[in-house]
Structure formats: structure tokens, C-alpha cells
């Protein structure tokens, strides 16, 4: 059973940093994309970043380029999102998701993703 579990959310001041982690288990397919999305109350779900398992390539939404970094730790079977210079508008529930891509590059579109974690709250406030 594919399972994704997010952790690492919390309350930080503007300009601070957080590192989110997505723990992966039950994967039986070879090629997949792991993506981070976020959703604030009353807002649409936004794609943040993704990583392709086939070659380790990454993609970022424009609004987080230069601040957020996605990475994987194969030994720990996790994918992380390092978030720096956090802003109040980054406040949201953050989700990781997996897409069985069959070798094609992943895309930051929520409907493409088959498996989702439960979400972790990130609050940026002074």
C-alpha cells in the first residue's frame, strides 16, 4: 500500500526556515514523481516543486524559486522540502504527493497525482 506521510511543519517568523519531510513507503513502481503542494484556507491548491525518481531532476514553481529546495534521501526513503526566507503568504497546509509517471517527466498539476499525504501545517507569522 503506497503511503506518504509529511512532517516538519510548524510556526515560524517571517524570514525563518523550515524543512518538511515526506516519508515514502509501499512503492512498487519504478518511475514516479514526488511533488509538494500547498493549500491555504479559501485558496486553490498550488504546486510548489517536484522531483523525478528516474534521474533526480527537479522543477519549481516561479513563486518559490531561490527560496525552496526539494531533495531526496534514498537511504531514508524520504523527500524533503527546505524552505528559506518564509513569508506570511507561505502559510498553508503542505502536502506531498506521488505520481506513477511510467517514465515521463512529472508536472505540477494536482489531478496528475494518485497518492497524497495527510498534510502538515506551516504558519508564518510574527
Amino acid at each position: 500500500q503506497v503511503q506518504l506521510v509529511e512532517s516538519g511543519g510548524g510556526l515560524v517568523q517571517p524570514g525563518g526556515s523550515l524543512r518538511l519531510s515526506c516519508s515514502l513507503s509501499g512503492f512498487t513502481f519504478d518511475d514516479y514523481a514526488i511533488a509538494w503542494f500547498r493549500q491555504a484556507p479559501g485558496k486553490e491548491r498550488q504546486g510548489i516543486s517536484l522531483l523525478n525518481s528516474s534521474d533526480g531532476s527537479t522543477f519549481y514553481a516561479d513563486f518559490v524559486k531561490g527560496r525552496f529546495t526539494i531533495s531526496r534521501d534514498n537511504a531514508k526513503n524520504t523527500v524533503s522540502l527546505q524552505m528559506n526566507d518564509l513569508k506570511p503568504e507561505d502559510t498553508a497546509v503542505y502536502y506531498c504527493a506521488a505520481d506513477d509517471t511510467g517514465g515521463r517527466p512529472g508536472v505540477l498539476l494536482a489531478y496528475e497525482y494518485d497518492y497524497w499525504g495527510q498534510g502538515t501545517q506551516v504558519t508564518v507569522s510574527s
Side-chain angles (χ1 to χ4, degrees):
Q1 309 88 329
V2 174
Q3 187 172 50
L4 301 91
V5 180
E6 304 95 335
S7 62
L11 174 65
V12 296
Q13 296 185 36
S17 298
L18 280 175
R19 187 176 181 86
L20 306 182
S21 181
C22 178
S23 178
L24 314 174
S25 63
F27 281 57
T28 60
F29 37 85
D30 293 330
D31 300 314
Y32 56 90
I34 301 295
W36 287 94
F37 292 82
R38 70 186 187 187
Q39 189 164 25
K43 303 283 189 177
E44 295 183 359
R45 187 165 296 185
Q46 293 180 304
I48 301 167
S49 181
L50 66 83
L51 183 150
N52 292 295
S53 70
S54 59
D55 60 3
S57 61
T58 60
F59 179 82
Y60 297 90
D62 287 342
F63 65 87
V64 300
K65 283 184 177 177
R67 296 193 298 129
F68 292 10
T69 303
I70 192 170
S71 62
R72 65 179 173 182
D73 186 332
N74 290 333
K76 296 181 179 180
N77 204 27
T78 59
V79 175
S80 296
L81 184 70
Q82 178 66 44
M83 306 187 295
N84 298 324
D85 192 26
L86 285 162
K87 307 176 185 300
E89 54 262 42
D90 295 319
T91 295
V93 177
Y94 283 67
Y95 300 89
C96 61
D99 176 24
D100 182 2
T101 63
R104 62 169 172 78
V107 294
L108 278 177
L109 296 171
Y111 68 79
E112 292 282 348
Y113 288 80
D114 306 303
Y115 309 101
W116 293 81
Q118 83 288 351
T120 186
Q121 177 70 47
V122 172
T123 302
V124 184
S125 177
S126 58

